[in-house]
Amino acid sequence: MKVKHSKYKNTGILFELLTRQLTSDTITGKQSKSLSFLKKHFNKKTELLKEYKIYHTLATKKYSKDSQATMLINTLLEAHGKLNKSQLRREKYNLIKEIKDNYNINDFFKAKITDYKIMASVYNLLENKEATPLSIVNSKVTLLEHITEKQIKPKTNPILENYSKQDKDTRLLTYKVLLEKFNDKYSGLEDNQKTLLKEYVNSVSNSPALKSYLNQEIKEVKKDLTKYSKKVEDKAVVVKLNETKIMIKPLCKKSSVSDDNVINLLNYYELVNELKTVHG
């Protein structure tokens, strides 16, 4: 059973999207408004920070026993009940207003959310005034299972572990060397391929803007294939080009951008660039 809730009012989601936006803006060299929003609305004087800590604890804390998880949920529900609700509503309203004034609100909230089901369940317990008894039970069960779920310890990469232990100057030097090697390795890429990789790296949140960029590039690739198929004299090659053009399809609204989408487009670029070299 899905929990209906508003992303706009979910403090955990608001905080995650703001930090993602900050990361994206930093990578692209933009002056990020998200940093000032975080400092202004999530500081020790705000009720929003107190509420976010409750969201964060429920989403990240782990226990081995159901009794411990139940005690955690009940304790945090009680703590949330003591928050100043009128101040909390006012702070959340002002934050959302600033987000709407500075970002495309639809793009901002379309990003895929980590642990969406968990965040929705927390919201249902803490803030959803229209929640039914059954939905409350389902949300509690979801959180109990999440909190008591055994974590799989990720395998440690010895190279990265050693890198993290180095002093700042050594890490900077290592990073510089890696960057130079990366540039040397990919120096043969054409401009369209470099631009695509840049867009992919910069779109930290797999944003709708990235999908829109890919779909626009797919249109351009299909146009180029149509243009060059008229210049190719070999009929067999023309057939292959037409087949390729049919295979290239834009991403639908519900799909997210994957590595395969980017790799495929890079390969199509390679084909177009080769045709351009041969036929001008």
Side-chain angles (χ1 to χ4, degrees):
M1 178 179 176
K2 289 186 177 180
V3 177
K4 294 183 178 180
H5 87 293
S6 170
K7 286 184 181 180
Y8 292 74
K9 297 178 182 179
N10 190 309
T11 301
I13 288 177
L14 286 170
F15 187 88
E16 180 177 340
L17 292 178
L18 282 171
T19 53
R20 283 193 192 186
Q21 189 65 52
L22 173 60
T23 304
S24 179
D25 290 344
T26 301
I27 290 175
T28 54
K30 296 178 182 177
Q31 186 70 32
S32 183
K33 294 286 183 68
S34 293
L35 179 59
S36 62
F37 295 164
L38 288 166
K39 288 181 176 179
K40 179 180 178 181
H41 297 285
F42 293 91
N43 61 67
K44 61 183 181 181
K45 295 180 180 179
T46 65
E47 296 297 287
L48 262 178
L49 179 62
K50 295 175 185 177
E51 184 174 66
Y52 168 70
K53 286 181 177 180
I54 293 173
Y55 269 89
H56 180 71
T57 302
L58 287 170
T60 60
K61 188 66 177 176
K62 295 292 181 183
Y63 283 116
S64 58
K65 298 178 180 178
D66 286 354
S67 58
Q68 294 172 313
T70 301
M71 187 179 295
L72 175 70
I73 293 171
N74 291 338
T75 301
L76 291 177
L77 282 174
E78 185 180 342
H80 189 268
K82 295 178 181 178
L83 296 180
N84 186 326
K85 297 300 191 298
S86 60
Q87 183 180 337
L88 180 61
R89 284 193 297 271
R90 185 166 58 252
E91 290 173 357
K92 197 171 294 187
Y93 173 84
N94 290 334
L95 171 59
I96 294 170
K97 184 178 184 302
E98 289 193 56
I99 292 173
K100 286 181 177 179
D101 290 344
N102 289 276
Y103 294 106
N104 181 311
I105 198 70
N106 292 324
D107 287 349
F108 187 86
F109 280 100
K110 274 183 182 176
K112 189 175 181 180
I113 305 298
T114 306
D115 290 331
Y116 179 87
K117 186 177 179 181
I118 303 305
M119 289 296 181
S121 295
V122 175
Y123 171 85
N124 200 45
L125 290 181
L126 299 182
E127 304 183 72
N128 190 359
K129 294 179 180 178
E130 298 179 0
T132 64
L134 180 59
S135 72
I136 291 174
V137 170
N138 288 332
S139 294
K140 283 190 175 182
V141 170
T142 297
L143 290 176
L144 276 171
E145 291 176 347
H146 175 72
I147 294 169
T148 56
E149 182 181 37
K150 289 184 178 179
Q151 289 181 301
I152 300 173
K153 190 175 181 181
K155 292 182 179 179
T156 305
N157 185 318
I159 296 175
L160 292 177
E161 187 177 12
N162 181 59
Y163 173 77
S164 65
K165 293 178 180 177
Q166 301 298 323
D167 59 81
K168 182 180 178 181
D169 290 337
T170 303
R171 291 201 306 271
L172 286 172
L173 179 60
T174 304
Y175 175 75
K176 183 179 179 182
V177 172
L178 288 172
L179 187 61
E180 288 173 351
K181 286 186 176 181
F182 179 88
N183 288 334
D184 289 341
K185 183 176 180 179
Y186 296 103
S187 59
L189 291 178
E190 297 294 333
D191 288 342
N192 52 7
Q193 293 172 314
K194 289 178 181 178
T195 302
L196 172 60
L197 289 176
K198 180 182 176 184
E199 289 289 334
Y200 188 46
V201 171
N202 287 347
S203 296
V204 184
S205 61
N206 201 345
S207 65
L210 175 61
K211 186 189 296 184
S212 176
Y213 175 81
L214 257 71
N215 283 339
Q216 183 59 42
E217 288 301 296
I218 286 170
K219 286 183 181 178
E220 293 301 317
V221 166
K222 294 184 80 167
K223 284 182 183 178
D224 287 335
L225 290 179
T226 299
K227 180 177 72 174
Y228 288 116
S229 65
K230 295 176 182 178
K231 296 183 178 183
V232 175
E233 296 179 359
D234 191 322
K235 292 183 179 180
V237 175
V238 173
V239 171
K240 290 294 182 184
L241 288 177
N242 288 331
E243 289 177 351
T244 302
K245 191 170 62 174
I246 294 171
M247 288 171 56
I248 305 174
K249 296 179 180 179
L251 280 73
C252 63
K253 290 182 178 181
K254 294 183 179 180
S255 62
S256 299
V257 178
S258 67
D259 291 350
D260 287 342
N261 298 133
V262 176
I263 291 169
N264 288 339
L265 187 51
L266 285 171
N267 288 330
Y268 294 141
Y269 280 152
E270 188 69 29
L271 175 60
V272 170
N273 293 334
E274 184 66 25
L275 288 168
K276 186 177 181 180
T277 301
V278 175
H279 299 283

